Amino acid sequence: MTGFSQRTTKNRLLRRLPQEAFDHIAPHLKTVDLPVRWSLVEAAQPIEHVYFIESGLASMVAVTSDDNGVEIGQIGYEGMSGYPVLLGVDGMPNRTLMQVPGSGLRLSTSCFLSLLRNEEARLILLRYVHTHEVQLAHSALAAARYSVHQRLARWLLMCHDRLRMDDMPLTHDFLASMLGVRRSGVTDHLHILEGMHAIRSTRGNVKILDRRILLDVAGGCYGAPEAEYERLIGEDLSAHEKSTRMRTAGGPGR
């Protein structure tokens, strides 16, 4: 017997695996706390474990040789860290670290790769790689073609999708770092969104008041990666999740 049940796990990717594939790895999964700044993948280091996040928020951060960094992607309960091992590589130049604390299920890379023997599991995992690559591409598109105002709205929507709570523990410094702009600029744009009654921003917290306004502000820079995830990996939602989605106008797993 194992303490892990596919039916009750909070990670959407694990829930989507065929039952026999989940049963294969279940004895090897370990529940772990994931505190803020915890490193899931370190740059230029072997990826020895993958993490299936159940709560909290992780960021993939591109880092330069002089230690400048910017967020290029997010991972929450819809996915996993360390997915490049699926492509036959043992490390990467980017970091993945927790930005909002939570918990997850850790699995050794060697055990994880044994899932590839199951054709259906392999297809689902490769689809996840594809959806994350789409997210990275749209992060680049947003940075190049959209305003800070729109990018901030997109980023808050992505956080809202993954944290599944209206009160999100996000600081202005963190937002500035992830968007690659000055803190004062982020503060100004948060005030604009407050004036639109989309959010309420206090020290170390952003509360979503009206998600639909954020969707209008973000425009075309939000939505395509989320739709691609639902198209390829999405599963039947519980009645509670369906109700939440109707109230909040969409997003992965809402």
Side-chain angles (χ1 to χ4, degrees), residues 12 16 127 130-131 134 224-235:
R12 291 190 72 189
R16 193 65 177 81
R127 284 178 171 180
H130 163 72
T131 63
V134 173
E226 291 73 21
E228 190 74 342
Y229 183 99
E230 294 300 335
R231 182 177 76 88
L232 295 175
I233 303 176
E235 60 192 341

Side-chain angles (χ1 to χ4, degrees), residues 37 42-43 60-72 93-95 97 176-181:
R37 309 301 293 179
E42 196 56 59
M60 290 183 64
V61 180
V63 184
T64 64
S65 58
D66 54 358
D67 208 30
N68 284 314
V70 66
E71 184 187 76
I72 55 174
N94 302 328
R95 299 181 63 201
L97 69 159
S177 175
M178 292 303 98
L179 291 171
V181 299

Side-chain angles (χ1 to χ4, degrees), residues 57-60 70-74 99-100 135 139 142 148-163 168-172 174-180 186 190 193 206 208 211 214 218 221-222 226:
L57 177 70
S59 291
M60 290 183 64
V70 66
E71 184 187 76
I72 55 174
Q74 290 185 2
Q99 299 288 13
V100 175
Q135 184 195 140
S139 292
V148 173
H149 191 55
Q150 292 170 304
R151 289 164 54 206
L152 176 59
R154 171 184 183 261
W155 199 90
L156 291 174
L157 287 166
M158 291 171 65
C159 291
H160 196 219
D161 292 339
R162 288 161 178 81
L163 292 174
M168 304 187 295
L170 307 172
T171 67
H172 292 199
F174 167 53
L175 290 168
S177 175
M178 292 303 98
L179 291 171
V186 166
L190 285 171
L193 292 175
V206 176
I208 304 298
R211 181 180 170 92
L214 291 178
C221 72
Y222 171 84
E226 291 73 21

